[in-house]
Amino acid sequence: MLATLIAGAPAYAQTQSMSSLTQPYLAATPATDMSTQAFTALLGQFFTNPFSAIGGATTLLGSMFLIFNTFILVAGTIWATYGIGVAIVQTAHEGQLMGKKLSQVWLPIRMVTGVASLIPAFGGFSLSQAVLVFATTIGIGAANLGYQGMISGANNMTSLVSTSIVSPRAQGSQSLQQAAYALFRARICMDAQNDYVNQLQQATGQSVTADTVSATTPAGVTGVQYGKPDEPAYCGGVEVSATDMDPRSSSSAGGYRVASVNYDWIASQMKAKATSGFSPFRSQIESLADSWYQSYEAYQTTNGQRPVVPIIQLEGIATTYFNSNQPDASSASQTSQALTSAALQSMGQYGWFGAGAWYATLAEVNSAVAQAAQSINYKTIDPQISDADGGYNTNLADVMKGLDTATQVAATQTANAGSDGNSSSGQVLCRAMRSVFSNTTTPTGNCSFGQDVAMTLIDESTAGAGGATATTTGGLRLIDPIIAMKNMGDYLMVGAEGMYTAYLAATTGPTAAVVGTITSVASAIPGVGILAGAFKQLASVLPMLIGAMFLLGLIMSLWIPMVPFVNWWGGLVQYLTIFFEGIAAGPIWAFVHLDANGEGMGHRTETGYLFIINMLFRPFLMLLGFVASAALIIVMGSFLFWLYPSVMGNIQGNSITGMFSVLGFIFIFWILMHTLVTTLSNMAVLLPDQALAWAGRAIGSQMGRDAEQSTRGHFMAFGRFGQQGVGTGISAAGKARADALIAQKEAQLLARKRPGADEGGGGQ
């Protein structure tokens, strides 16, 4: 007893220490947590307090497990008795405690552990099941903490994908890199002018302060300009402003907004970051410019090596400034408002189980941040100096003029890219189309009107998706392909509905006779009759085209946005089945501890310990897979938008890209997008299985893995039903029109057969 008391003191201390470590995770499982509610509904208080639910069974499952655990306890007692008997025999035979084959240390431990873990003392459940439930609770708490961190990050504008992977948006012809270079030149202009003024004062002894250049900031403007008292922008400068470039306007019919996201607040915060970050940006460039000017002055004096304009350093400073404007998790505050209060309450209500329902909100926060970052305008103020101005350092003016000339030549070469300089009819047509369509020249340099139409149609789907393709002026931007596909699906469905309505209006009712008359008159006109016949043939396949548009739009607009949640739901089903597999197998896990052979806890018990690891880490890995899939969908979707113009230009070359080629390229593009979304969104199911396999044998379940495929099959069946309904409606309308025409012809024939129907009254 004394030894037990002495050993119990550190054991108690260790228990207290373990409790302090697990308390944060246990506290993160509130009663409103959906996973806790599900398990509590089935297991009762045993799930919420597994080690304190001592007594008889209180639930149906508890009653069943009481019988099952008692049965296994009886079988385990028999097996343990056999193992102890073997140990006694081996001791007597070999003269060594437990014999040579049995472990003197591990056999008693396994026997005590196995028997104690089989006693159904916790409401019909055993200690082994209580351990598994405790591990599950800790795993749920960790997932809830991770989910709360995800919500907090989204509310703080911490986007899924950092916008730093794209270049700052160019407003007109002014990008952030160009603004950095303009600021660099303006500062050097100030240094040169003031140096000239100092030299002039020393030489003449007269004060010429009116020609001194200083840095000023106009009231209400973020920026700087370098000028004289009477010419504030003498050397130029840079201003920072935010333009309203948001296609998600609530009044826009083509925009896309989620009510849970505060778009205006995000835009204002991004503007505030750009404003506060301008001062360090300016200081770094001014220091670089001053250093360069001093080197240039030394070059003029010593006639040594001319200093190189630090373009790379300027671009690095610009990139650092752009990245500093992006939100990060470390800048979280209590006043963050990227999400509405109603959304925050709803997102946190059900715990990590509800994460899959909020993909659109997470993606929209990312898109809104990217859009706001790209809408910052860096305006350069042109200098007002001239070659005839005597108050300027002429040597430096020559250098700056040479740099400007080189810049203009490079810009001219870029503007003429894609033209071979000849005056062929193809180049004339290309230049004519370029004046109307800005994207006519492909990434490969050739001119293709059809390819430009294809990319324009694809670009239109990105309204509200956060970006555009590589063919769009303004640089590469991040795109959420799910929102883009939803936009395109809406367009297709509305187009199909409009065509369906127009077709019915043209083939039924009073307008049918008017259309028939117009068609008859047009058919009698030479040349036009051929065109009218072609339209009649097109009308025969119109039901198929409208049905195909409707089905494709239905998939894009309704099904694709649901795919992340469907796969998440499949992961939840898999998680629940794995949990109940563990509860059912827990007594068996305790039973195999009674094996008398082997070292440690026995090789048969490995699966049970791996299962504890599974239940500890699976919820967080599911959440991590969901967030990672959302980020990868945006990254890879953006890459596809950026690369597809080059792919299409290389495959098609300068071949004729007609209407069916355009439709084919668009269809292939959306197949690639569909494959991307459906594949990556399955990470919530696959990532836990793949990651946990690193700990040993993978413990997973096939149930839930086919949720997306099964649901898609039923949805496609519904879509085909709708497609057939559209075709049937059009066919019925066509039949009704044909019946009406037949009845009209019969009436005309009867009228002619009546006596006196003709002018002569002969009744022929």
Side-chain angles (χ1 to χ4, degrees):
M1 291 183 60
L2 179 61
T4 303
L5 291 175
I6 295 175
Y12 176 79
Q14 185 176 6
T15 302
Q16 292 296 105
S17 177
M18 184 65 67
S19 176
S20 63
L21 291 175
T22 58
Q23 184 59 36
Y25 304 103
L26 293 174
T29 56
T32 58
D33 179 82
M34 190 172 288
S35 56
T36 303
Q37 289 178 339
F39 293 137
T40 304
L42 297 173
L43 301 180
Q45 293 301 315
F46 172 69
F47 182 81
T48 55
N49 299 290
F51 297 111
S52 61
I54 300 176
T58 58
T59 63
L60 178 60
L61 285 175
S63 300
M64 296 180 65
F65 273 113
L66 175 61
I67 300 173
F68 184 57
N69 288 331
T70 303
F71 169 67
I72 295 182
L73 177 60
V74 172
T77 302
I78 296 173
W79 194 13
T81 302
Y82 168 77
I84 295 174
V86 171
I88 295 173
V89 172
Q90 291 291 344
T91 302
H93 176 67
E94 299 179 4
Q96 180 179 345
L97 183 62
M98 303 295 180
K100 297 180 179 179
K101 294 183 178 180
L102 302 181
S103 174
Q104 301 176 16
V105 176
W106 290 106
L107 189 144
I109 294 177
R110 287 205 302 269
M111 292 298 173
V112 174
T113 302
V115 173
S117 299
L118 285 173
I119 300 175
F122 302 95
F125 297 93
S126 65
L127 179 61
S128 61
Q129 293 170 316
V131 171
L132 295 176
V133 167
F134 181 74
T136 301
T137 306
I138 296 296
I140 291 174
N144 279 329
L145 291 177
Y147 182 55
Q148 293 171 9
M150 184 190 76
I151 296 175
S152 177
N155 192 41
N156 187 51
M157 302 189 305
T158 306
S159 55
L160 286 168
V161 180
S162 174
T163 55
S164 61
I165 69 171
V166 296
S167 59
R169 184 181 184 278
Q171 295 282 345
S173 61
Q174 308 301 326
S175 66
L176 180 53
Q177 285 81 1
Q178 291 172 323
Y181 180 70
L183 186 60
F184 177 79
R185 291 184 69 257
R187 178 70 178 192
I188 291 177
C189 169
M190 186 190 78
D191 291 340
Q193 174 65 16
N194 292 339
D195 191 21
Y196 174 81
V197 170
N198 292 334
Q199 294 177 5
L200 185 62
Q201 289 179 347
Q202 293 177 2
T204 61
Q206 299 178 357
S207 175
V208 286
T209 55
D211 290 329
T212 302
V213 175
S214 60
T216 59
T217 300
V221 175
T222 300
V224 62
Q225 58 185 13
Y226 303 89
K228 303 176 181 179
D230 56 341
E231 297 179 89
Y234 177 76
C235 286
V238 172
E239 291 182 1
V240 180
S241 63
T243 56
D244 186 11
M245 299 289 295
D246 189 3
R248 293 171 181 74
S249 173
S250 57
S251 61
S252 173
Y256 179 87
R257 276 200 171 202
V258 176
S260 55
V261 179
N262 285 327
Y263 297 88
D264 298 333
W265 185 85
I266 292 175
S268 65
Q269 293 300 304
M270 294 300 291
K271 181 180 179 181
K273 283 180 172 291
T275 300
S276 61
F278 180 79
S279 180
F281 167 71
R282 167 190 167 184
S283 299
Q284 294 178 22
I285 292 183
E286 287 180 340
S287 177
L288 192 63
D290 294 342
S291 177
W292 187 91
Y293 179 73
Q294 293 173 4
S295 300
Y296 183 79
E297 286 292 292
Y299 155 73
Q300 287 184 316
T301 304
T302 62
N303 197 21
Q305 184 177 3
R306 176 180 297 182
V308 179
V309 177
I311 297 296
I312 296 179
Q313 290 92 325
L314 290 173
E315 292 180 351
I317 294 173
T319 302
T320 301
Y321 172 45
F322 180 74
N323 293 341
S324 66
N325 295 339
Q326 313 311 310
D328 57 84
S330 61
S331 60
S333 64
Q334 298 296 327
T335 59
S336 299
Q337 302 175 13
L339 301 176
T340 63
S341 57
L344 288 173
Q345 182 179 0
S346 299
M347 291 178 74
Q349 181 177 2
Y350 299 121
W352 72 281
F353 250 45
W358 296 94
Y359 170 85
T361 294
L362 295 178
E364 269 300 285
V365 170
N366 189 93
S367 298
V369 171
Q371 189 73 32
Q374 297 290 347
S375 63
I376 303 299
N377 182 19
Y378 305 97
K379 178 183 177 182
T380 61
I381 303 173
D382 295 331
Q384 302 173 2
I385 59 176
S386 64
D387 294 340
D389 193 343
Y392 190 70
N393 187 311
T394 56
N395 292 329
L396 184 57
D398 292 339
V399 174
M400 292 288 99
K401 183 178 179 180
L403 290 175
D404 292 342
T405 303
T407 304
Q408 292 174 2
V409 171
T412 303
Q413 293 174 348
T414 303
N416 294 331
S419 174
D420 57 5
N422 60 35
S423 58
S424 63
S425 58
Q427 291 298 325
V428 172
L429 177 62
C430 179
R431 286 191 290 269
M433 289 190 297
R434 186 184 300 150
S435 63
V436 180
F437 297 93
S438 60
N439 300 339
T440 302
T441 301
T442 67
T444 57
N446 62 293
C447 180
S448 176
F449 176 72
Q451 295 175 40
D452 179 66
V453 171
M455 291 315 306
T456 300
L457 292 175
I458 293 175
D459 279 339
E460 288 300 318
S461 67
T462 65
T469 66
T471 61
T472 305
T473 58
L476 304 177
R477 285 177 277 169
L478 291 173
I479 299 158
D480 181 7
I482 291 183
I483 297 178
M485 294 183 76
K486 175 174 175 55
N487 288 341
M488 181 61 71
D490 290 341
Y491 301 154
L492 289 175
M493 289 184 68
V494 171
E497 293 165 0
M499 293 174 63
Y500 180 71
T501 303
Y503 188 89
L504 291 180
T507 54
T508 59
T511 58
V514 177
V515 173
T517 302
I518 295 175
T519 304
S520 301
V521 173
S523 300
I525 302 175
V528 181
I530 299 176
L531 186 61
F535 277 109
K536 288 183 179 180
Q537 295 296 327
L538 179 62
S540 63
V541 299
L542 196 59
M544 180 182 66
L545 294 177
I546 294 178
M549 284 181 58
F550 179 81
L551 178 59
L552 187 60
L554 196 68
I555 295 173
M556 291 183 179
S557 178
L558 300 180
W559 171 246
I560 295 300
M562 285 292 296
V563 168
F565 175 74
V566 171
N567 281 316
W568 175 258
W569 183 254
L572 295 181
V573 172
Q574 183 190 44
Y575 173 71
L576 292 175
T577 57
I578 292 174
F579 170 78
F580 279 100
E581 174 190 343
I583 292 297
I588 300 176
W589 171 50
F591 176 80
V592 297
H593 281 82
L594 301 176
D595 185 5
N597 296 314
E599 296 289 333
M601 301 304 287
H603 66 280
R604 291 188 178 94
T605 64
E606 178 184 359
T607 302
Y609 292 103
L610 290 176
F611 190 86
I612 293 177
I613 296 176
N614 194 332
M615 299 312 295
L616 277 174
F617 301 143
R618 178 171 288 272
F620 199 95
L621 287 173
M622 288 178 58
L623 185 65
L624 187 63
F626 174 76
V627 176
S629 67
L632 287 175
I633 286 173
I634 293 177
V635 171
M636 297 304 295
S638 300
F639 288 172
L640 184 56
F641 268 95
W642 301 349
L643 294 175
Y644 199 73
S646 299
V647 175
M648 186 168 55
N650 279 284
I651 292 175
Q652 191 70 355
N654 59 357
S655 301
I656 297 176
T657 306
M659 179 182 68
F660 288 100
S661 297
V662 170
L663 295 177
F665 279 122
I666 294 177
F667 186 68
I668 293 173
F669 180 82
W670 290 116
I671 289 178
L672 294 174
M673 280 294 184
H674 177 271
T675 304
L676 176 73
V677 172
T678 55
T679 301
L680 290 178
S681 62
N682 204 32
M683 286 185 64
V685 179
L686 297 180
L687 180 64
D689 291 343
Q690 299 295 330
L692 290 170
W694 287 46
R697 187 175 64 86
I699 299 177
S701 173
Q702 295 300 320
M703 298 181 65
R705 286 194 174 190
D706 59 346
E708 190 271 333
Q709 296 179 1
S710 178
T711 310
R712 179 176 56 186
H714 292 293
F715 184 83
M716 292 294 291
F718 168 76
R720 284 190 291 269
F721 175 78
Q723 180 187 14
Q724 293 172 0
V726 172
T728 302
I730 293 179
S731 299
K735 185 177 182 302
R737 180 187 176 191
D739 293 341
L741 291 175
I742 292 173
Q744 182 181 4
K745 292 295 183 182
E746 290 177 349
Q748 292 176 355
L749 290 174
L750 291 175
R752 290 182 180 180
K753 289 181 179 180
R754 290 197 306 268
D758 60 343
E759 294 180 358
Q764 300 297 322

